[in-house]
Structure formats: structure tokens, C-alpha cells
Amino acid sequence: RRIISPSMQGMAVSEAISGGEFKFFKYASFRPGARKGVAPIGTIKKVVDQIDYLKENGITPEDFRYLVSISEESERQKLEEFTAIYSGYENSLGSKFIDGSGLLSYLNTRLAASKDVLKKIHPEKCTFYVEGFYSFKKPELEFLRHLSARKEFSFLIKLDCSDRNENIFRTMLS
């Protein structure tokens, strides 16, 4: 897959927005100088940032659709529109392109499908060392799970003792 730049992400979001009937994500026709049906640049940037955030946290359009279904009625239409944009964005990436925020999830998918992926990346025995983290997002935890399950690789993790890790270091912090 080819990695797309942030500007290409903006173009993909703009395309997803222009392809749908959206109330919240396009210029209204009454705004002076606005081109009806076109999304403002600031809106596109915010949508790209939100998609990046969701993908970095392992939240797919399907996961987000569920969250929308349990949201308050007053927010539901805007969230449904965002979900449609997110899905359209992912569809425009298809199987040829990937954005930076989706790399780890893509790698996790490849690791789950083939045990040889890590051997191709690093054919010799080695040790994976993780240090300096106090919290992990869903794709990061999944990646660590894949690494720790491989007998051909050593895996070390050093967690910082902090208040944020209270559940892990409860006895040390008491």
C-alpha cells in the first residue's frame, strides 16, 4: 500500500463530503462568497484530525456507527453524517492507499494473517524493547500482543510507575 500525505487525506475527505447530502459539513448557500455544497477548508481539516484520532485509537467506521446508535438524539444527525464521511474516506483509500494513522492497524491485520511478516521485517532473532509508555491505545496493545506471542522474538516492556498506572502499580503507590 502507498502512504498518503495529510493533503491527500484532505482531498479524500473533501471527495467523501462532496459525494453526499450533508447538512453539517458543507457551506450553507446563504453565506456570502460561499460555494454551495463545498466543505470549508477548516471543516475538512477538523474531519481529517478526527478520523486520525479514531484510527489511532482503533475505532473503525463500524465501531463509530455503534457509538452513534447509543448517542443522544440531539447529536445523532451530525454523528451519522460524520460516520458516512468516515466510511466514504475509508472506501476512497481502498486497498491501494493507507494513511499514517492506519499503519499500525494494517500491520496488526497482516500479523494476524501471516506469522512470517515479522520474519520478513527482521529475519534474525531479536529483542523488542518497549520503554517510556504509561498508556496504550487499542492498536498498540494488539501489536504488543502479536509480538509477545511470538516465540522467536524476545519481548521486554518497561512501564513507568505513575499515578496513571495505578491499576498496575497499586501496591507501590499505596
Side-chain angles (χ1 to χ4, degrees):
R1 288 188 172 189
R2 289 185 55 193
I3 301 173
I4 63 169
S5 66
S7 59
M8 292 296 290
Q9 283 182 275
M11 290 175 61
V13 165
S14 180
E15 184 178 299
I17 292 173
S18 66
E21 293 294 321
F22 300 112
K23 176 181 174 185
F24 295 101
F25 293 93
K26 292 183 179 180
Y27 277 125
S29 59
F30 60 83
R31 290 190 59 184
R35 292 186 352 208
K36 184 178 180 182
V38 176
I41 298 296
T43 300
I44 292 171
K45 172 135 180 47
K46 287 180 182 180
V47 170
V48 168
D49 290 346
Q50 186 63 39
I51 288 172
D52 282 345
Y53 174 81
L54 292 172
K55 290 178 80 167
E56 287 170 357
N57 284 282
I59 300 171
T60 65
E62 294 75 28
D63 297 333
F64 195 75
R65 193 169 285 112
Y66 169 73
L67 295 173
V68 170
S69 72
I70 60 171
S71 66
E72 292 185 30
E73 186 66 38
S74 61
E75 294 293 315
R76 194 162 296 149
Q77 184 178 3
K78 185 186 292 185
L79 294 172
E80 286 172 349
E81 287 186 12
F82 177 82
T83 305
I85 294 166
Y86 186 9
S87 294
Y89 170 80
E90 287 293 299
N91 290 338
S92 70
L93 294 182
S95 61
K96 291 184 180 182
F97 302 103
I98 192 165
D99 54 23
S101 58
L103 282 173
L104 192 54
S105 292
Y106 176 69
L107 179 58
N108 287 333
T109 302
R110 296 288 310 271
L111 288 171
S114 171
K115 296 187 184 290
D116 295 331
V117 172
L118 284 176
K119 286 181 183 176
K120 289 177 184 175
I121 295 170
H122 203 287
E124 298 177 25
K125 286 194 172 208
C126 65
T127 300
F128 287 94
Y129 184 65
V130 180
E131 177 183 17
F133 293 91
Y134 58 86
S135 66
F136 296 95
K137 297 173 183 172
K138 182 179 169 184
E140 295 165 341
L141 285 172
E142 187 176 345
F143 180 69
L144 294 175
R145 183 180 58 79
H146 285 296
L147 287 180
S148 64
R150 303 297 167 95
K151 293 177 183 170
E152 64 268 28
F153 298 105
S154 298
F155 178 78
L156 299 170
I157 185 167
K158 178 184 172 193
L159 298 173
D160 296 334
C161 180
S162 72
D163 292 340
R164 291 182 177 177
N165 280 333
E166 183 181 348
N167 58 338
I168 297 172
F169 298 105
R170 187 171 294 128
T171 58
M172 295 173 73
L173 296 173
S174 298

